[in-house]
Amino acid sequence: TTVRELGVLVEHVKRQSSSWVGRRVDADCSWREVSGLEPKDVNLYDVNENLLKPLGAKLGVAYSELFARGQKREPKVFVSHAWLHPLLLTDEALKQHAEDRGYGEDEPIWICA
């Protein structure tokens, strides 16, 4: 995918996450379900369960394939990150990384997701 395409995902999260359900770890390390997620709290687990898996099942393609339109894209950057990290912060970090390293928002990157 690209930094720009990740931005499309972030905008969707900002519009839709209030209707999403997620799981959070309590202080005693037990899981609890929460609904009505704030965009700032959405992580990749939430995106995967509420958007990517249902979308992939419905359309039969991965998120990045929606944008590739059959074109072969070879990423020059691999991004590894913690899925619990808030998506909005990951997006900001990737924008900064692209600026610092001199690649554009349309350069294919491989995000471990």
Side-chain angles (χ1 to χ4, degrees):
T1 196
T2 68
V3 172
R4 185 180 315 277
E5 293 162 4
L6 182 61
V8 171
L9 179 67
V10 166
E11 290 307 312
H12 181 82
V13 166
K14 288 177 180 178
R15 290 189 310 272
Q16 299 295 320
S17 66
S18 63
S19 65
W20 288 6
V21 173
R23 297 180 69 206
R24 298 294 181 267
V25 178
D26 285 327
D28 65 355
C29 295
S30 62
W31 287 97
R32 65 181 164 83
E33 196 169 274
V34 294
S35 58
L37 304 177
E38 293 287 329
K40 68 177 181 55
D41 299 325
V42 170
N43 61 46
L44 200 52
Y45 288 108
D46 302 323
V47 172
N48 193 46
E49 290 300 318
N50 290 280
L51 179 64
L52 299 181
K53 284 170 66 174
L55 188 64
K58 181 177 180 179
L59 300 177
V61 297
Y63 180 76
S64 65
E65 292 175 295
L66 293 173
F67 296 94
R69 300 174 193 203
Q71 296 176 343
K72 182 178 179 182
R73 303 192 299 179
E74 294 185 21
K76 296 183 177 46
V77 175
F78 173 78
V79 178
S80 181
H81 63 99
W83 278 35
L84 284 175
H85 192 254
L87 178 68
L88 272 62
L89 295 180
T90 299
D91 180 55
E92 289 301 317
L94 288 174
K95 286 177 182 173
Q96 187 63 55
H97 188 268
E99 183 179 321
D100 292 350
R101 299 291 189 263
Y103 60 91
E105 288 189 341
D106 294 314
E107 181 72 35
I109 58 176
W110 182 341
I111 301 173
C112 179

